[in-house]
Amino acid sequence: MYRIWEIDPSLPLGPNNLMPMVHPDDAAMVQGRVDRMRQGLDNPENEERILMPDGRIKWMSNSTLVFHHEDGRVECVGVSQDITKRRLAEQASEKLRSELAHVTRVLSLGELAASIAHEVNQPLSGIITNANTCLRMLATDPPNIEGAIRTAERSVRDGNRAAEVIKRLRSLYRKQDFALELLDLNDAAREVIAICAHDLQRRRIAMTVDLDNELPHVTGDRIQLQQVILNLVLNAADALSAVDDRPRQISILSVQHQTGRVQLMVRDTGTGIAKEDRERIFEPFHTTKPHGMGIGLSVSRSIIDRHKGKLWAMSNEGPGTTLVFSLPVASKDGA
């Protein structure tokens, strides 16, 4: 303990000498643990940080058990472990996962470049047309004020539409750390659907959307969950590329389960996945696409795992495959 805490061996190992070294953000939690111990209560394993004089932060794993002896003695046995190396390794691993997730998100959006350009170009063209119309109405004698106002309002509408497209794209391109928030999974899905809509039309794919309006909120990283939805939709679209003998269709559904979880499903009428490949498609660098990299679904599963969820594939009763992920419903306190 003296070595781990790096304090003078002549000092007693009591709260008076150790508490001042506890990280300020963890001080209240640690004090609560000390109070529980003094009351004769156990403390399950918990992690806390200590702040060294030179600014270094150490991570500690601590737990205590309290024994009440028949003669009235109360004995506390504790275990303290320096887990700094493990936490630093986890943080480095998480940073790499975030970098990979960002790269795959950018690659996915790159595939949609033509669709995105169309989504922005369409309202911009409308603004130009409306502006010219507005000028002609104002140039008439007498000027058509009422018509010019309506035309200007359409310009504002188209401008807001273009701004919304850019806003969605900026958020998806943004590079950020894993950030949890209370979110509506349906809203997150709708934003992705809006980005993909023109690309699916270009590929002659019909899309149906059936989102449960009573779907409870989840806690998650909005951008990363949208990346998963985007990956599943693009994967379904690729599975339909060779289909010519039946309608090309993608269905996106959300449902609530009684087990306190929500599900989002992306179903296609594509070529399907062989039974032996249902798990392999989530392995890194495994791909069935001629020019695929094999990391999209692997990163998607990693993201869902981090959200304490599950992602899997299953064959449809008819043609095609359904990719499903489930997430726990947010608790009442938003956790």
Side-chain angles (χ1 to χ4, degrees):
M1 286 291 289
Y2 282 114
R3 179 182 58 79
I4 291 174
W5 286 74
E6 301 180 26
I7 63 174
D8 187 342
S10 65
L11 298 174
L13 283 172
N16 290 340
N17 290 318
L18 300 184
M19 280 300 298
M21 297 181 64
V22 174
H23 194 285
D25 292 344
D26 296 343
M29 175 190 66
V30 175
Q31 185 60 56
R33 290 170 56 82
V34 173
D35 293 342
R36 283 178 57 85
M37 181 181 65
R38 286 173 171 162
Q39 295 168 20
L41 301 174
D42 294 337
N43 281 303
E45 184 178 357
N46 197 67
E47 293 182 4
E48 62 196 52
R49 292 163 292 177
I50 57 176
L51 189 60
M52 311 309 294
D54 59 3
R56 285 178 296 125
I57 292 178
K58 282 190 173 183
W59 284 87
M60 309 290 292
S61 174
N62 301 303
S63 62
T64 59
L65 286 176
V66 177
F67 296 90
H68 298 266
H69 297 282
E70 292 182 358
D71 60 4
R73 289 182 300 114
V74 179
E75 182 182 15
C76 178
V77 177
V79 176
S80 184
Q81 183 181 15
D82 182 353
I83 59 170
T84 304
K85 288 184 178 179
R86 188 182 82 191
R87 286 307 301 260
L88 291 176
E90 289 173 352
Q91 289 172 3
S93 177
E94 178 53 39
K95 184 178 180 181
L96 288 174
R97 279 198 296 268
S98 295
E99 293 281 353
L100 182 57
H102 181 250
V103 168
T104 56
R105 189 160 63 246
V106 171
L107 289 173
S108 297
L109 291 171
E111 292 182 32
L112 293 171
S115 174
I116 291 168
H118 176 84
E119 285 295 312
V120 177
N121 188 59
Q122 197 172 40
L124 291 180
S125 298
I127 291 171
I128 294 171
T129 300
N130 289 330
N132 288 328
T133 302
C134 187
L135 288 174
R136 287 197 302 272
M137 288 181 172
L138 292 175
T140 59
D141 188 16
N144 185 350
I145 302 298
E146 185 177 342
I149 291 174
R150 288 197 302 269
T151 306
E153 288 173 346
R154 288 198 296 269
S155 295
V156 172
R157 178 203 62 195
D158 289 340
N160 288 332
R161 178 181 164 193
E164 187 62 30
V165 172
I166 297 298
K167 179 182 176 182
R168 288 196 298 262
L169 291 174
R170 287 185 65 184
S171 66
L172 283 171
Y173 269 114
R174 188 171 69 244
K175 188 177 179 181
Q176 65 175 35
D177 293 332
F178 188 78
L180 293 177
E181 61 178 294
L182 193 66
L183 62 90
D184 184 332
L185 192 61
N186 286 342
D187 284 347
R190 290 187 187 99
E191 291 180 1
V192 174
I193 291 167
I195 290 175
C196 298
H198 180 71
D199 184 63
L200 297 182
Q201 291 175 7
R202 182 179 60 83
R203 300 197 201 190
R204 297 182 293 112
I205 297 173
M207 179 167 56
T208 60
V209 180
D210 184 9
L211 303 178
D212 182 357
N213 292 328
E214 302 299 323
L215 199 72
H217 284 59
V218 300
T219 302
D221 184 300
R222 185 182 192 88
I223 302 304
Q224 291 201 7
L225 289 178
Q226 286 185 319
Q227 175 178 352
V228 173
I229 299 170
L230 178 63
N231 286 344
L232 299 188
V233 172
L234 292 181
N235 189 79
D238 289 339
L240 289 163
S241 59
V243 172
D244 292 316
D245 59 343
R246 58 181 176 273
R248 300 181 179 186
Q249 186 165 352
I250 293 176
S251 300
I252 301 175
L253 310 92
S254 67
V255 295
Q256 178 183 0
H257 275 229
Q258 295 180 350
T259 54
R261 303 180 75 85
V262 298
Q263 286 186 355
L264 189 136
M265 294 171 276
V266 178
R267 181 176 299 144
D268 65 66
T269 57
T271 53
I273 301 174
K275 185 176 180 179
E276 60 272 16
D277 284 334
R278 286 183 201 160
E279 275 300 310
R280 293 189 64 198
I281 61 173
F282 299 106
E283 295 176 2
F285 309 115
H286 176 80
T287 181
T288 57
K289 305 174 188 177
H291 305 291
M293 296 180 63
I295 58 175
L297 289 179
S298 173
V299 168
S300 295
R301 174 168 276 187
S302 175
I303 291 172
I304 296 300
D305 286 346
R306 178 118 192 243
H307 285 78
K308 300 178 182 179
K310 295 181 179 179
L311 169 63
W312 69 95
M314 57 186 184
S315 296
N316 299 336
E317 292 185 3
T321 303
T322 299
L323 287 165
V324 189
F325 70 80
S326 70
L327 297 172
V329 171
S331 60
K332 292 183 179 179
D333 59 3

